[in-house]
Amino acid sequence: DGAAPGAAMWPGAGGLLACLLLAFAAFGVLERDWMGEYRFATPIWVTATALFAVCFVGLLTRIPLSRRAVAVLVVVALASGLFAADTMRTRSDTFRSAPTTPMCWVVDRYGRLFNTYADRLGITEGTLALPDIGGVLLTTRLQVIDTAGLTDRTIARARGAKDLGAIGDYLFEEVKPTFIHLHGPWARGIGTDPRLDRDYVPIVTGDYVRRAAVHDPSALALLQSQHLERGIPRSRNSCGATMVPGSTAA
């Protein structure tokens, strides 16, 4: 058709460039990630890599190269790959040795432990409102409400508008979760709401159960005295052989 070699690639490169710019824009408007790694920049890494590959192949099809030049490019590519792999391994090992929040601790502390609470209190079905949901969803048998707002549209909108009252209204008047866990900045709009003391009783610091869901006060008193959360080590690097919904911490 008379098109220049590699010309068919440039529409795709233009599309990737547009996606890359949008990814940069999206990442730029986000607040700094407290986890310490660039997890929300994932679309940038993926799109930039694809764009580089398309442009590189396009240039190779248009510029004649000698065997020596090809050999140099291969050596540079291999050296770059080895350097990147070594850097990634070092960063991964460093983060794995001291993660910001160990996933397996979340699995046990918020997933399996609240399953234990529910079993001990005779609660067969219920909901759990908390901000750390990734590891929780691997083991919980409760329906999860994300108080950080990443997966809950109502809470996300309320936090974006800094309308803390709307968060309390949503949780205490609409959702009425069976259990609530509070910690860090995600407790804003919940921990100081008087409806928390009105409708919930603490199991341990940060862990609450809805008063109406407790049918055996002696079972609750026993849970409050046991402090099961103290037996969950934070420096866990294994979540056990299997992770299934309903598994318990004790």
Side-chain angles (χ1 to χ4, degrees), residues 138-244:
L138 296 172
T139 53
T140 187
R141 62 177 178 81
L142 303 167
Q143 180 180 348
V144 173
I145 298 99
D146 177 17
T147 55
L150 289 176
T151 64
D152 190 288
R153 184 177 302 173
T154 301
I155 292 180
R157 287 173 175 169
R159 291 205 179 278
K162 301 189 185 304
D163 187 353
L164 300 183
I167 297 175
D169 292 341
Y170 175 64
L171 284 179
F172 297 119
E173 304 300 334
E174 294 186 41
V175 179
K176 300 178 181 178
T178 311
F179 296 98
I180 293 177
H181 173 77
L182 301 177
H183 70 259
W186 300 279
R188 290 197 294 263
I190 307 172
T192 57
D193 193 303
R195 290 171 289 190
L196 180 65
D197 291 334
R198 182 195 71 184
D199 298 337
Y200 292 82
V201 58
I203 300 174
V204 296
T205 301
D207 294 353
Y208 297 84
V209 61
R210 190 169 179 83
R211 293 180 186 275
V214 178
H215 302 295
D216 185 354
S218 63
L220 175 60
L222 180 60
L223 270 182
Q224 292 170 325
S225 67
Q226 289 178 321
H227 287 278
L228 298 178
E229 81 286 356
R230 295 177 180 174
I232 300 175
R234 190 176 178 88
S235 58
R236 281 179 57 83
N237 57 10
S238 172
C239 303
T242 59
M243 290 182 287
V244 294

Side-chain angles (χ1 to χ4, degrees), residues 24-237:
F24 268 111
F27 183 73
V29 300
L30 293 174
E31 294 185 8
R32 184 176 180 180
D33 186 7
W34 61 275
M35 285 292 289
E37 292 290 335
Y38 296 103
R39 54 178 177 163
F40 295 142
T42 299
I44 295 176
W45 311 133
V46 175
T47 309
T49 302
L51 179 59
F52 174 80
V54 168
C55 292
F56 186 68
V57 171
L59 288 173
L60 287 181
T61 59
R62 299 185 65 180
I63 302 175
L65 297 175
S66 65
R67 292 185 178 180
R68 179 177 296 179
V70 171
V72 170
L73 287 175
V74 170
V75 170
V76 170
L78 289 175
S80 299
L82 291 173
F83 175 77
D86 183 66
T87 301
M88 181 178 292
R89 180 184 61 80
T90 301
R91 288 180 65 92
S92 297
D93 290 345
T94 300
F95 188 81
R96 188 182 299 112
S97 64
T100 308
T101 302
M103 188 197 75
C104 290
W105 180 76
V106 174
V107 166
D108 283 351
R109 174 61 179 86
Y110 303 135
R112 288 171 172 152
L113 182 58
F114 275 92
N115 288 339
T116 301
Y117 289 162
D119 288 350
R120 299 284 182 89
L121 295 174
I123 298 173
T124 56
E125 295 182 357
T127 50
L128 167 60
L130 78 171
D132 293 310
I133 66 170
V136 172
L137 291 172
L138 296 172
T139 53
T140 187
R141 62 177 178 81
L142 303 167
Q143 180 180 348
V144 173
I145 298 99
D146 177 17
T147 55
L150 289 176
T151 64
D152 190 288
R153 184 177 302 173
T154 301
I155 292 180
R157 287 173 175 169
R159 291 205 179 278
K162 301 189 185 304
D163 187 353
L164 300 183
I167 297 175
D169 292 341
Y170 175 64
L171 284 179
F172 297 119
E173 304 300 334
E174 294 186 41
V175 179
K176 300 178 181 178
T178 311
F179 296 98
I180 293 177
H181 173 77
L182 301 177
H183 70 259
W186 300 279
R188 290 197 294 263
I190 307 172
T192 57
D193 193 303
R195 290 171 289 190
L196 180 65
D197 291 334
R198 182 195 71 184
D199 298 337
Y200 292 82
V201 58
I203 300 174
V204 296
T205 301
D207 294 353
Y208 297 84
V209 61
R210 190 169 179 83
R211 293 180 186 275
V214 178
H215 302 295
D216 185 354
S218 63
L220 175 60
L222 180 60
L223 270 182
Q224 292 170 325
S225 67
Q226 289 178 321
H227 287 278
L228 298 178
E229 81 286 356
R230 295 177 180 174
I232 300 175
R234 190 176 178 88
S235 58
R236 281 179 57 83
N237 57 10

